[in-house]
């Protein structure tokens, strides 16, 4: 009988927890990265493969556990004032950049105030709430906010507020700095070599400030463009770890069933990718709330999770995922109910007008998912035509609002103000980008509630506003809520401690070790 | 002297053709939906318009298309192929970095397919009514008809996964730190599967063409004369039939040689061979205009060069062509 992957995941995490054997130093881990990153200077480049590789070279002030509680990293402690306006970070002493220069508060101020302000859109979203950043001494940094900003403390992850060396970048043209070919961070691994199209090699930072860490001598990121070849590389033993998204879902059960093969879906809690169905709120049948509700009732989301995603991930209740805070659990779930969907369609008088559906051009799983949804919708009488595109075409179609239904997935970033409100607030409607309020949903009350919630203090007040906004969204269905994705990381069981944080897919190798 | 004039004439024509190709490619690529800035922003999950604006401005994508074309063409005139948007490196560096790997792969495949194809074709022609001859042709037909990527995948499954004889992917063993002869051996081992896979298709074509054109040549009067003179069969095959059957093979070899830069996308992808084909495919998906145009330019230039070379080889193989021109 086929072993269910979800139970395998559970079993593996049970095994890893009591594994308190003494860690052994030494060994190199071979893994893969897909696609090849365009560069490794985190903060300057924010795409997923850069984050995954460079998350081991660079660090942020804080790290987050799998429940997204802050943990010390470059900051060893921090205080928040009672009014929620002043955040004081005490930096760890004796930290050195990979080139030997000391890391100080001046680097923090430069990174946040100059480097990220110019280059980094996700940091800019946080920076707009900051009034001043000051360094009273070499090991203290004080952020003063103009008004309270709930998710402030969760914004210091390495990929969002990367600490970059001031002595290398100050006064230069950041993007054309020679040092970009040889990234300098404070992290547990140093950049060694990048043979383009073949491998990126990182080696152990012998001077790392945390005693005994890292255990590994190095990491080789193999670059293998074909999914089937990546699976083969794991099967024949050249590669020990397959990070998220490197093999097609239908290959996952086969690889997990191999001897000495483990799998985990941890390490995604921070990003918590949320798959959604854009529905064009502007025109056509999708402009009618009843049609959008019908789509929710028509889709069999459990089927998609169990069959296409090997049982990993969670079917979301509503607009707020389980990893985002402040979820309103009192809402009535949209169960798979074709009759109700037909009823709603009759009531609105849907006349069989053709609906265009755009799959996400990210591989076979998404094509199959689009087929499954198409079939669900046909069952209730919706006339769907799937229109496949490549990434460029998909970007353009969504940016031009030229679609009726379209697949996408978005990161939740641990807080509704960072990852969720952007999809629903009307100030985020703007042609030309596939990542804003693409569906064109406008509701003044929703705008107001999201606004209030982001700056309310303390958390109880935020919760109230967020619960209210979820009720409105749940009724209006601006977009379809498909699945909180569970991406498996597949690895040899003797690679221990691979995922130790809520961003573990990107900063995991720090604690990892290989058992003989 | 005649050659020198011929080559000069051909080169001048080639430059005009190249120029037209550049302009054509430029518009072709810009007609594809989406632009590199949007794709880069998408990869970064960036939502703010400032980010997009910065990118477009940096790449010059905010300018009218004829200005962009002018920038590009005037750059090429000074052999400046521009900057890759995504890889943040000069296009020329990127291409030169990848060129040796691709030439090693396609060059090996070229020699392999040509040598084995002609050999198999001659054998098949000599054994035209025997079982062995038919067997060769059946095999050739099989390789000709089978999709390349499938052969590649099956070769990996057989030789790497089951038999564990050959590495499944890559160009050398990562982390082994090999040098000198050991490295050459290692690369050679990695080369076997992709080069053979790539060679099979052309080998099949050479086999078929060689056989057909040798059979035709063997009907000619001079072959009968040679036989009547009492020459040995082997000598007749080689000197009288094969030599006269060479022209179509040269034509085909010229075509294959012209594809050496861009013709191995599938093989390079399946075997993770760090060559130009992969670079081209990625550039296409990323709408990395400059990089894509740069690779197109090199491919086109190579096709033109090999056309000229083919012409010269014709003249060597068959001096009558020179007189006719």
């Amino acid at each position: 009988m086929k072993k269910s992957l979800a139970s395998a995941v559970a079993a593996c995490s049970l095994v890893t927890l009591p594994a308190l054997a003494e860690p052994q130093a030494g060994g190199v881990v071979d893994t893969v990265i897909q696609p090849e990153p365009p560069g490794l200077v985190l903060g300057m480049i924010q795409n997923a493969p850069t984050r995954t590789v460079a998350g081991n070279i660079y660090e942020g002030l804080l790290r987050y556990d799998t429940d997204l509680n802050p943990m010390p990293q470059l900051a060893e402690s921090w205080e928040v004032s009672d009014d929620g306006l002043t955040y004081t970070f005490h930096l760890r002493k004796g930290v050195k950049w990979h080139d030997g220069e000391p890391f100080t508060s001046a680097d923090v101020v430069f990174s946040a105030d100059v480097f990220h302000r110019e280059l980094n859109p996700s940091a800019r979203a946080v920076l707009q709430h900051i009034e001043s950043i000051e360094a009273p001494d070499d090991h203290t940094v004080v952020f003063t906010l103009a008004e309270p900003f709930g998710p402030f403390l969760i914004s210091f992850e390495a990929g969002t507020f990367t600490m970059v060396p001031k002595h290398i970048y100050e006064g230069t043209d950041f993007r054309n700095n020679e040092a970009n070919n040889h990234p300098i961070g404070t992290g547990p691994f140093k950049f060694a070599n990048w043979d383009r199209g073949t491998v990126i090699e990182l080696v152990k930072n012998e001077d790392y400030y945390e005693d005994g860490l890292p255990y590994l001598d190095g990491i080789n990121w193999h670059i293998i463009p074909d999914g089937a070849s990546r699976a083969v590389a794991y099967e024949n033993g050249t590669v020990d770890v397959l990070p998220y998204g490197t093999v097609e879902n239908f290959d996952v059960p086969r690889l997990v069933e191999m001897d000495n093969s483990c799998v985990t879906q941890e390490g995604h809690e921070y990003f918590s990718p949320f798959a959604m169905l854009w529905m064009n709120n502007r025109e056509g049948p999708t402009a009618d709330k009843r049609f959008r509700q019908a789509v929710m009732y028509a889709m069999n989301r459990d089927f998609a999770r169990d069959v296409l995603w090997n049982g990993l991930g969670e079917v979301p209740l509503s607009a707020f995922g389980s990893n985002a805070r402040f979820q309103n659990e009192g809402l009535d779930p949209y169960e798979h109910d074709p009759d109700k969907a037909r009823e709603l369609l009759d009531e609105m008088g849907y006349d069989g007008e053709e609906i265009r559906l755009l799959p996400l051009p990210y591989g076979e799983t998404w094509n199959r998912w689009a087929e499954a949804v198409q079939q669900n919708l046909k069952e209730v009488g919706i006339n769907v035509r799937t229109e496949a595109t490549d990434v460029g075409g998909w970007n353009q179609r969504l940016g031009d609002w030229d679609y009726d239904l379209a697949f996408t997935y978005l990161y939740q970033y641990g807080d509704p103000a960072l990852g969720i409100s952007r999809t629903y607030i009307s100030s985020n409607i703007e042609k030309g980008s596939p990542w804003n309020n693409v569906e064109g949903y406008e509701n003044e009350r929703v705008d107001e509630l999201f606004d209030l919630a982001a700056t309310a203090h303390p958390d109880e007040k935020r919760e109230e506003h967020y619960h209210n906004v979820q009720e409105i969204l749940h009724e209006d269905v601006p977009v379809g809520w498909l699945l909180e994705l569970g991406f498996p990381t597949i690895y040899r069981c003797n690679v221990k401690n691979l995922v130790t944080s809520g961003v573990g897919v990107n900063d995991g190798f720090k604690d990892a070790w290989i058992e003989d | 002297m005649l050659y020198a004039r011929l080559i000069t004439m051909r080169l001048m024509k080639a430059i005009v053709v190249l120029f037209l190709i550049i302009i054509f490619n430029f518009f072709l690529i810009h007609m594809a939906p989406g632009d590199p800035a949007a794709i880069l922003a998408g990869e970064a999950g960036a939502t703010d318009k400032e980010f997009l604006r910065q990118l477009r401005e940096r790449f010059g994508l905010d300018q009218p298309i004829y200005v962009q074309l002018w920038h590009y063409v005037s750059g090429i005139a000074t052999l400046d192929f521009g900057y890759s948007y995504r890889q943040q490196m000069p296009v020329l560096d990127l291409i030169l970095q990848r060129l040796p790997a691709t030439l090693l792969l396609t060059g090996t495949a070229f020699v392999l397919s040509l040598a084995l194809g002609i050999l198999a074709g001659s054998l098949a022609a000599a054994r035209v009514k025997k079982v062995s001859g038919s067997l060769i042709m059946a095999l050739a037909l099989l390789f000709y008809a089978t999709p390349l990527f499938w052969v590649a995948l099956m070769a990996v499954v057989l030789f790497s996964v089951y038999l564990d004889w050959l590495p499944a992917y890559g160009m050398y063993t990562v982390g082994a730190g090999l040098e000198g002869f050991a490295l050459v051996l290692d690369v050679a081992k990695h080369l076997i599967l992709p080069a053979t896979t790539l060679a099979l298709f052309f080998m099949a074509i050479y086999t078929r063409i060689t056989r057909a054109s040798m059979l035709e040549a063997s009907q000619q009067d001079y072959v009968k004369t040679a036989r009547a003179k009492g020459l040995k069969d082997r000598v007749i095959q080689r000197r009288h039939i094969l030599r006269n059957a060479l022209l179509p093979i040269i034509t085909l070899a010229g075509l294959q040689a012209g594809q050496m830069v861009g013709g191995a996308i599938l093989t390079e992808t399946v075997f993770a061979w760090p060559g130009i084909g992969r670079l081209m495919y990625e550039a296409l998906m990323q709408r990395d205009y400059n990089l894509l145009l740069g690779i197109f330019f090199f491919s086109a230039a190579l096709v033109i060069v090999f056309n000229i070379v083919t012409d010269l080889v014709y003249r060597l193989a068959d001096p009558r062509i020179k007189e006719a021109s």
Side-chain angles (χ1 to χ4, degrees):
Chain A
M1 207 196 89
K2 210 175 105 180
K3 185 167 70 171
S4 127
L5 190 69
S7 68
V9 169
C12 279
S13 35
L14 279 181
V15 174
T16 46
L17 276 180
L20 292 171
E22 195 60 29
Q24 296 159 325
V28 172
V29 163
D30 288 284
T31 180
V32 293
I33 189 68
Q34 169 62 25
E36 184 166 21
L40 290 178
V41 182
L42 201 55
M44 185 177 304
I45 303 165
Q46 288 96 23
N47 72 7
T50 299
R51 285 172 188 261
T52 302
V53 177
N56 298 286
I57 302 173
Y58 291 96
E59 293 178 318
L61 291 182
L62 302 176
R63 232 178 153 208
Y64 301 91
D65 66 17
T66 45
D67 294 323
L68 300 184
N69 299 309
M71 303 191 284
Q73 186 62 58
L74 284 168
E76 57 186 5
S77 62
W78 57 93
E79 294 126 30
V80 187
S81 67
D82 288 339
D83 57 6
L85 290 177
T86 314
Y87 289 72
T88 309
F89 292 89
H90 302 283
L91 305 182
R92 208 183 277 263
K93 297 192 174 77
V95 178
K96 286 196 171 75
W97 293 102
H98 292 160
D99 60 1
E101 295 287 319
F103 163 80
T104 67
S105 55
D107 291 307
V108 181
V109 176
F110 171 78
S111 300
D113 220 9
V114 184
F115 193 86
H116 291 300
R117 200 180 286 282
E118 181 174 333
L119 296 178
N120 185 342
S122 46
R124 267 200 295 264
V126 179
L127 280 166
Q128 61 179 348
H129 298 274
I130 296 179
E131 205 165 64
S132 73
I133 308 172
E134 278 155 11
D137 66 61
D138 266 4
H139 296 99
T140 312
V141 181
V142 181
F143 290 80
T144 311
L145 276 59
E147 55 187 341
F149 183 53
F152 190 65
L153 209 52
I154 202 152
S155 322
F156 287 91
E157 174 262 338
T160 312
F161 265 115
T162 320
M163 289 304 130
V164 294
K166 179 182 181 187
H167 66 275
I168 287 178
Y169 284 104
E170 190 178 34
T172 67
D173 175 4
F174 303 147
R175 287 183 203 276
N176 293 319
N177 192 309
E178 272 297 303
N180 293 348
N181 292 319
H182 196 292
I184 300 283
T186 55
F189 293 92
K190 298 199 279 190
F191 173 82
N193 173 42
W194 183 355
D195 189 354
R196 287 198 185 241
T198 300
V199 69
I200 301 172
E201 295 172 83
L202 305 186
V203 295
K204 177 178 186 165
N205 176 4
E206 298 284 352
D207 297 325
Y208 193 58
Y209 55 89
E210 288 190 60
D211 267 349
L213 293 182
Y215 301 111
L216 299 174
D217 289 336
I219 313 166
N220 293 334
W221 301 91
H222 296 243
I223 296 151
I224 309 173
D226 180 54
S229 308
R230 290 191 289 272
V232 164
Y234 183 74
E235 277 176 294
N236 73 7
T238 359
V239 158
D240 313 308
V241 177
L242 291 172
Y244 67 97
T246 46
V247 285
E248 287 284 1
N249 278 348
F250 51 75
D251 271 336
V252 169
R254 181 167 59 91
L255 298 174
V256 170
E257 276 170 34
M258 288 170 54
D259 287 342
N260 190 28
S261 190
C262 282
V263 61
T264 177
Q265 58 172 336
E266 287 187 352
H268 283 286
E269 293 76 9
Y270 184 82
F271 296 109
S272 190
F274 195 149
M276 305 192 303
L277 197 62
W278 292 124
M279 304 204 233
N280 201 333
N281 285 221
R282 298 176 187 85
E283 54 191 7
T286 46
D288 191 313
K289 176 169 92 180
R290 288 167 295 185
F291 185 90
R292 301 197 297 268
Q293 289 170 341
V295 170
M296 283 303 285
Y297 284 119
M299 289 190 297
N300 188 346
R301 298 180 288 165
D302 290 309
F303 168 85
R305 182 194 55 192
D306 294 340
V307 176
L308 295 168
W309 291 89
N310 298 308
L312 300 183
E314 299 230 11
V315 173
L317 176 64
S318 186
F320 283 41
S322 57
N323 283 316
R325 306 166 66 198
F326 313 116
Q327 195 186 34
N328 183 346
E329 288 165 8
L331 300 169
D332 243 3
Y334 282 98
E335 306 283 5
H336 176 49
D337 188 347
D339 289 332
K340 196 146 188 185
R342 282 188 209 103
E343 231 169 76
L344 283 160
L345 291 173
D346 280 347
E347 190 190 316
M348 71 168 272
Y350 170 65
D351 57 357
E353 190 182 320
E354 189 177 75
I355 303 292
R356 297 161 300 158
L357 171 68
L358 266 59
L360 193 61
Y362 285 2
E364 192 48 37
T365 303
W366 295 91
N367 291 333
R368 296 183 182 187
W369 200 353
E371 285 165 16
V373 165
Q374 180 172 20
Q375 199 177 342
N376 279 164
L377 297 183
K378 281 203 166 144
E379 270 164 23
V380 300
I382 300 176
N383 176 16
V384 181
R385 182 159 55 99
T386 305
E387 296 184 347
T389 57
D390 71 348
V391 176
W394 183 87
N395 273 327
Q396 174 141 17
R397 293 276 304 264
L398 288 185
D400 287 348
W401 307 335
D402 178 18
Y403 73 97
D404 297 313
L405 300 174
F407 279 83
T408 192
Y409 73 85
L410 292 170
Y411 291 155
Q412 298 186 66
Y413 295 118
D415 194 288
L418 298 179
I420 294 177
S421 62
R422 59 178 175 165
T423 304
Y424 306 103
I425 52 176
S426 60
S427 59
N428 217 6
I429 298 178
E430 165 103 24
K431 246 190 178 163
S433 164
W435 308 102
N436 49 27
N437 180 343
V438 172
E439 80 275 16
Y441 176 68
E442 283 179 81
N443 184 325
E444 273 176 34
R445 179 72 184 141
V446 166
D447 291 348
E448 184 188 23
L449 284 170
F450 269 123
D451 237 16
L452 286 171
T455 54
H457 185 79
D459 279 354
E460 292 70 43
K461 282 195 189 148
R462 299 188 68 200
E463 182 162 39
E464 194 191 319
H465 295 312
Y466 280 134
H467 279 194
N468 290 340
V469 86
Q470 281 174 76
E471 273 172 26
I472 304 175
L473 293 174
H474 198 68
E475 165 70 19
D476 283 354
V477 194
V479 301
W481 304 293
L482 295 172
L483 189 61
E484 284 187 272
L485 301 175
F487 283 120
T489 300
I490 305 169
Y491 61 101
R492 308 254 178 252
C493 295
N494 62 326
V495 179
K496 304 289 182 190
N497 260 354
L498 188 60
V499 174
T500 51
S501 79
V503 202
V505 288
N506 295 348
D507 63 7
F509 287 103
K510 169 180 164 176
D511 301 304
W513 56 281
I514 303 173
E515 190 176 58
D516 283 335
Chain B
M1 270 326 277
L2 197 62
Y3 279 124
R5 227 190 82 206
L6 178 87
I7 293 174
T8 327
M9 290 276 293
R10 281 311 199 82
L11 279 179
M12 279 168 60
K13 253 192 232 166
I15 288 172
V16 177
V17 171
L18 257 183
F19 180 74
L20 292 176
I21 288 176
I22 291 169
I23 295 188
F24 179 74
N25 282 341
F26 184 88
F27 283 109
L28 194 69
I29 289 174
H30 281 261
M31 266 160 56
D35 79 340
I39 290 176
L40 284 174
E43 277 192 311
T47 46
D48 75 350
K49 52 192 170 195
E50 172 65 13
F51 188 73
L52 272 173
R53 196 195 56 76
Q54 277 181 358
L55 283 177
R56 294 213 168 96
E57 188 182 292
R58 204 151 55 86
F59 303 154
L61 294 168
D62 51 348
Q63 311 212 8
I65 190 141
Y66 58 89
V67 178
Q68 293 184 42
L69 176 65
W70 169 246
H71 280 294
Y72 189 73
V73 173
S74 53
I76 294 261
T78 59
L79 288 182
D80 173 7
F81 291 88
Y83 217 68
S84 157
Y85 307 136
R86 184 167 192 269
Q87 317 241 22
Q88 314 200 352
M89 274 173 83
V91 166
L92 194 61
D93 290 4
L94 276 168
I95 293 179
L96 292 181
Q97 228 175 36
R98 297 292 188 93
L99 201 57
T102 288
L103 290 182
L104 178 64
L105 174 63
T106 49
T108 311
F110 177 70
V111 173
L112 210 65
S113 56
L114 195 58
L116 294 181
I118 293 179
L119 185 72
S122 325
L123 284 176
R127 290 150 200 257
V128 68
K129 284 190 181 122
K130 293 180 188 155
V131 178
S132 54
S134 310
L135 195 70
I136 293 176
M137 291 322 288
L139 275 178
L141 186 65
L142 181 71
F143 290 139
Y144 177 69
T146 317
L148 200 61
F149 72 91
W150 189 81
V151 176
L153 283 173
M154 289 306 115
V156 169
V157 169
L158 180 61
F159 292 105
S160 307
V161 178
Y162 283 110
L163 299 173
D164 201 15
W165 289 351
L166 294 167
Y169 69 91
M171 190 172 160
Y172 59 87
T173 311
V174 167
L178 299 171
E179 278 176 15
F181 186 65
L183 180 65
V184 174
L185 213 65
D186 189 47
V187 171
K189 233 171 131 181
H190 281 82
L191 183 62
I192 294 176
L193 279 184
T196 315
T197 313
L198 189 58
L200 280 177
F201 176 78
F202 271 97
M203 202 185 330
I205 298 186
Y206 287 128
T207 306
R208 291 163 63 85
I209 295 263
T210 308
R211 176 175 173 275
S213 107
M214 278 179 75
L215 286 181
E216 199 188 314
S218 67
Q219 306 295 320
Q220 303 295 319
D221 289 343
Y222 54 80
V223 176
K224 283 183 197 147
T225 314
R227 276 226 171 83
K229 281 200 298 189
L231 282 182
K232 280 191 187 140
D233 242 17
R234 258 201 353 248
V235 178
I236 299 176
Q237 282 282 343
R238 205 175 55 224
R239 230 189 260 160
H240 294 267
I241 300 182
L242 182 59
R243 247 191 107 172
N244 279 295
L246 269 182
L247 281 191
I249 301 172
I250 293 172
T251 312
L252 208 70
L255 282 177
Q256 190 195 357
Q259 290 184 14
M260 285 219 284
V261 166
I265 298 182
L266 279 175
T267 321
E268 286 180 3
T269 304
V270 173
F271 291 101
W273 192 263
I276 299 262
R278 258 170 75 187
L279 196 64
M280 174 155 75
Y281 179 71
E282 283 159 20
L284 177 66
M285 285 300 144
Q286 303 290 341
R287 304 285 190 273
D288 198 337
Y289 299 147
N290 282 348
L291 182 54
L292 202 54
L293 286 171
I295 297 173
F296 283 173
F297 176 85
F298 271 81
S299 312
L302 202 74
V303 171
I304 291 173
V305 167
F306 274 102
N307 262 331
I308 299 176
V309 172
T310 312
D311 265 10
L312 296 177
V313 177
Y314 276 151
R315 287 169 165 75
L316 285 178
D318 189 345
R320 282 171 301 180
I321 292 176
K322 185 162 69 183
E323 279 158 28
S325 69

